[in-house]
C-alpha cells in the first residue's frame, strides 16, 4: 500500500462522526484469481469514506492489494433509482465454504439497506437485499459484525444461517439489531419482523424465556434492543454471548472514551434471543477509557473479558459463561480448555514448495 493512500484514508475516516468504530482502512480479503480459482489474490474493499466520496451515492469498489488497480465496483443497485445512500459502515466479508477465500461481503448504507454481495474471481456479483431498516429513520454508520449459527427455519428444520449485528444510531440512543440471513431468502426483513427485546418480562429472569416467544424468535428474522445509550465498542460474540459497552450519548467523546465522572456500562446478552446470561444484562464499570473488547488470559491464566487499547488492558469480567444447546436458557462455565474451540478455517487445495 502506498503511503499517500493511507494518509487520505486517515484524514477522512473520522470526519463528521461521533465515536466512529470503523477501521480507517479498506478491508483486505482473498478471492480467487481469474486464471486459477484455487490460487488466492488479495484485494481491498472500500466504501464511500475510503474512496473520498463521503457524500455521494453508496458505492463499493475492489482494488488490487498489490497495485491499487481498480478491479470492480458496485455503484448501480437493484433499487427504483439504481442508487442507495452513502456507505460509511465498514463492510464484512465471509468465507462460506471454509476454503480460505471470501465468498461474499455484507454492507449497509446510511439509511439501513443491508446487502449481501457475492464475490468471485471476476469481482462483485448482483447485490441481494437482506433487510430494509430505513423505516427506523436511524443512521447506520458503524461496522457490521457476524456470527455463523445453526437455527430452525420456519418449518422447524435446522439450517445454517448468518446472524449479523447491526448498530442503528438515533437521537434517543443506539439500537442493537441481530438479523438473520439464510441462502435463498426472498423477502427482505424489516424491523417489525424482529422481536423487540428491549425489556424483559418480570417472569423471564425467574423462569427463562417464554416458549412461544422463543419459537417466534427462532422462526423470525432476529431481535433488537433499544439501549438509549451510545455504543462505544464494537460488539463481540464469545461462546454465544454478545458483549458490548455503552454510555449516555452526552458523555461520549469522539475517541469513544467518556467524560470524567461518568461510567461505561457493559452489556452481555444471549446471541439467539438477547435474554439473560448473567444475573443482569448490563452493569456499570469503573472506567472511562475507550478500547476494544477482547477475550484473553489474565495473570492467573484464566480466561477474562478485557477492554484493551494501546495504553492499557483492563479486565472487565472473569468467570465467563457460554450458551448451551440443551435449552433456550442453558449456560455453562467457559474454561480455557474449552475455548478457543478448534474451528476449520481453510482447506488448502494445492501447496507448491511448502515445507
Amino acid at each position: 500500500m502506498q503511503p499517500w493512500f493511507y494518509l487520505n484514508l486517515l484524514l477522512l475516516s473520522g470526519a463528521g462522526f461521533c465515536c466512529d468504530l470503523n477501521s480507517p482502512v479498506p478491508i483486505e480479503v482473498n478471492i480467487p484469481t481469474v486464471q486459477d480459482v484455487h490460487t488466492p489474490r488479495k484485494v481491498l474493499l472500500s466504501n464511500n469514506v475510503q474512496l473520498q466520496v463521503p457524500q455521494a451515492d453508496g458505492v463499493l469498489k475492489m482494488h488490487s492489494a498489490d497495485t491499487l488497480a481498480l478491479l470492480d465496483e458496485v455503484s448501480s443497485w437493484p433499487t427504483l433509482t439504481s442508487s442507495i445512500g452513502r456507505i460509511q459502515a465498514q463492510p464484512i466479508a465471509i468465507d462460506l465454504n471454509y476454503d480460505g477465500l471470501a465468498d461474499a461481503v455484507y454492507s449497509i448504507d446510511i439509511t439501513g439497506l443491508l446487502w449481501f454481495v457475492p464475490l468471485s474471481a471476476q469481482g462483485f456479483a448482483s447485490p441481494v437485499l437482506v433487510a430494509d431498516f430505513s423505516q427506523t429513520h436511524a443512521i447506520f454508520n458503524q461496522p457490521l459484525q457476524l456470527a455463523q449459527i445453526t437455527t430452525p427455519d420456519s418449518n422447524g428444520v435446522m439450517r445454517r444461517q448468518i446472524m449479523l449485528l447491526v448498530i442503528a444510531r438515533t437521537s434517543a440512543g443506539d439500537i442493537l439489531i441481530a438479523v438473520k440471513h439464510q441462502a435463498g431468502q426472498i423477502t427482505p426483513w424489516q424491523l417489525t419482523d424482529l422481536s423487540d427485546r428491549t425489556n424483559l418480562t418480570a417472569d423471564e429472569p425467574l423462569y427463562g424465556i417464554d416458549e412461544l416467544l422463543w419459537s417466534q424468535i427462532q422462526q423470525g428474522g432476529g431481535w433488537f434492543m433499544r439501549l438509549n445509550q451510545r455504543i462505544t465498542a464494537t460488539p463481540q460474540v464469545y461462546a454465544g454471548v454478545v458483549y458490548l459497552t455503552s454510555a449516555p450519548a452526552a458523555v461520549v467523546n469522539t475517541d469513544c472514551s467518556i467524560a470524567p465522572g461518568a461510567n461505561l456500562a457493559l452489556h452481555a446478552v444471549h446471541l439467539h434471543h438477547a435474554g439473560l446470561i448473567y444475573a443482569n444484562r448490563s452493569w456499570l464499570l469503573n472506567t472511562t477509557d475507550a478500547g476494544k473488547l477482547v477475550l484473553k488470559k489474565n495473570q492467573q491464566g484464566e480466561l477474562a473479558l478485557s477492554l484493551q487499547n494501546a495504553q492499557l488492558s483492563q479486565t472487565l469480567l472473569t468467570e465467563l459463561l457460554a450458551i448451551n444447546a440443551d435449552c433456550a436458557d442453558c449456560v455453562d462455565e467457559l474454561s480455557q480448555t474449552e475455548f478457543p474451540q478448534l474451528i476449520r478455517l481453510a482447506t488448502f487445495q494445492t501447496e507448491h514448495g511448502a515445507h
Side-chain angles (χ1 to χ4, degrees):
M1 180 72 71
Q2 297 179 10
W4 63 265
F5 195 58
Y6 272 122
L7 177 62
N8 286 337
L9 296 178
L10 292 171
L11 288 174
L12 287 166
S13 63
F17 293 121
C18 175
C19 185
D20 183 11
L21 300 173
N22 294 283
S23 169
V25 297
I27 64 170
E28 184 178 285
V29 300
N30 288 337
I31 64 171
T33 60
V34 178
Q35 296 80 10
D36 181 0
V37 296
H38 299 305
T39 302
R41 61 170 170 167
K42 291 183 179 181
V43 299
L44 303 174
L45 303 182
S46 305
N47 62 17
N48 286 59
V49 175
Q50 287 118 25
L51 294 169
Q52 305 182 42
V53 287
Q55 301 303 320
D57 292 338
V59 59
L60 286 177
K61 290 192 178 185
M62 178 188 299
H63 291 84
S64 166
D66 297 324
T67 66
L68 297 184
L70 178 63
L71 303 176
D72 198 8
E73 68 176 89
V74 182
S75 54
S76 179
W77 303 81
T79 64
L80 293 177
T81 61
S82 297
S83 63
I84 61 173
R86 61 189 183 274
I87 302 176
Q88 296 177 338
Q90 178 182 334
I92 192 163
I94 184 169
D95 176 4
L96 292 168
N97 58 3
Y98 304 107
D99 65 351
L101 304 174
D103 300 301
V105 61
Y106 288 94
S107 184
I108 192 166
D109 79 350
I110 196 77
T111 69
L113 296 182
L114 176 61
W115 298 93
F116 172 80
V117 187
L119 298 173
S120 70
Q122 286 70 39
F124 298 110
S126 298
V128 177
L129 187 60
V130 174
D132 180 356
F133 298 130
S134 59
Q135 72 277 8
T136 64
H137 302 293
I139 295 174
F140 295 81
N141 61 3
Q142 297 294 359
L144 297 174
Q145 294 290 94
L146 67 78
Q148 297 193 54
I149 61 175
T150 302
T151 57
D153 63 12
S154 57
N155 297 316
V157 179
M158 298 297 291
R159 297 189 184 278
R160 187 172 151 201
Q161 296 179 322
I162 305 300
M163 180 169 279
L164 291 135
L165 297 177
V166 181
I167 298 173
R169 301 211 136 173
T170 72
S171 58
D174 292 350
I175 307 171
L176 179 64
I177 302 173
V179 58
K180 291 185 289 188
H181 179 228
Q182 181 180 323
Q185 177 182 328
I186 299 175
T187 305
W189 299 113
Q190 297 188 11
L191 197 69
T192 52
D193 298 315
L194 280 55
S195 297
D196 187 347
R197 298 288 286 159
T198 301
N199 299 305
L200 303 182
T201 66
D203 289 339
E204 188 166 331
L206 299 174
Y207 308 108
I209 188 170
D210 178 78
E211 289 188 10
L212 182 60
L213 175 59
W214 175 224
S215 177
Q216 173 186 322
I217 293 175
Q218 290 182 88
Q219 297 179 24
W223 53 264
F224 66 92
M225 288 176 57
R226 299 183 186 274
L227 296 174
N228 296 319
Q229 293 201 332
R230 195 68 73 211
I231 294 175
T232 61
T234 304
Q236 300 294 328
V237 179
Y238 297 122
V241 184
V242 183
Y243 297 96
L244 62 144
T245 58
S246 72
V251 302
V252 178
N253 301 317
T254 55
D255 65 352
C256 297
S257 65
I258 60 174
N263 289 94
L264 281 174
L266 176 65
H267 305 262
V269 302
H270 197 292
L271 173 64
H272 295 289
H273 56 66
L276 287 166
I277 293 292
Y278 301 90
N280 299 297
R281 289 199 298 178
S282 63
W283 53 94
L284 292 178
L285 301 171
N286 185 26
T287 182
T288 61
D289 292 304
K292 296 181 179 180
L293 292 172
V294 295
L295 191 66
K296 59 189 302 184
K297 290 183 180 180
N298 61 18
Q299 293 179 346
Q300 291 72 40
E302 302 168 332
L303 287 173
L305 182 71
S306 299
L307 188 69
Q308 183 170 310
N309 58 35
Q311 286 75 38
L312 59 86
S313 178
Q314 180 174 351
T315 299
L316 304 181
L317 185 63
T318 58
E319 300 180 2
L320 298 174
L321 298 176
I323 65 170
N324 184 310
D326 290 344
C327 71
D329 299 290
C330 294
V331 296
D332 292 321
E333 292 184 4
L334 181 62
S335 70
Q336 65 184 78
T337 58
E338 297 169 331
F339 192 92
Q341 296 182 12
L342 182 62
I343 300 174
R344 180 162 64 100
L345 296 178
T347 300
F348 297 93
Q349 305 291 348
T350 57
E351 294 183 355
H352 300 288
H355 298 282

